[in-house]
Amino acid sequence: MPTVFDNIENPFLENENSDGLKDALKLAFRGDFCVGYFNLRGWRCIDSVVNGWPMPDAEELPSPARLLVGMQRLPHDQLRKWLNEEPDKDPDNKTLARLRKEAAQEFRKQ
């Protein structure tokens, strides 16, 4: 069974007992990664291990590392879509507050 590194119960990076994902990857020769979003700064933490995996001999074989990136709408995109599709219908206060908070967090990251 594959291990899911969610950074809650199983950390990506090190804790007091292990290097998390990096330790698991040292035992592997290939990996399929499914992530919600992708940032090269995070990949940099494991690239030394992944780069050590052997490349397949035949061209038709898959790469030793495959990455599936999910795309989520950013809060300001969600709000813009809502306003364009339903201009006469305002979002409820709970949704509006959540979108404002998420948009502010995105600006802080920038």
Side-chain angles (χ1 to χ4, degrees):
M1 187 72 168
T3 301
V4 175
F5 290 90
D6 58 6
N7 222 21
I8 298 170
E9 292 181 24
N10 292 322
F12 296 131
L13 301 176
E14 68 278 344
N15 63 21
E16 59 276 355
N17 299 321
S18 78
D19 281 338
L21 178 60
K22 203 170 192 177
D23 274 353
L25 294 177
K26 288 177 183 175
L27 302 173
F29 60 91
R30 63 170 297 145
D32 294 320
F33 303 91
C34 181
V35 297
Y37 63 94
F38 180 70
N39 189 308
L40 283 174
R41 288 179 292 160
W43 189 262
R44 196 173 49 197
C45 297
I46 63 169
D47 70 348
S48 62
V49 177
V50 173
N51 286 337
W53 289 347
M55 288 298 292
D57 292 331
E59 289 181 13
E60 60 271 357
L61 293 176
S63 170
R66 297 186 305 174
L67 179 64
L68 175 64
V69 181
M71 299 301 287
Q72 73 180 50
R73 290 190 190 277
L74 295 174
H76 60 274
D77 291 334
Q78 286 178 321
L79 184 57
R80 187 176 298 123
K81 181 179 183 232
W82 186 315
L83 294 174
N84 286 337
E85 289 180 358
E86 300 183 48
D88 56 333
K89 184 178 176 187
D90 291 334
D92 60 83
N93 286 337
K94 184 178 179 181
T95 302
L96 198 53
R98 178 182 57 81
L99 292 172
R100 280 187 190 134
K101 182 179 178 182
E102 290 173 1
Q105 288 172 339
E106 287 297 318
F107 282 121
R108 279 189 212 103
K109 287 180 188 177
Q110 293 177 18

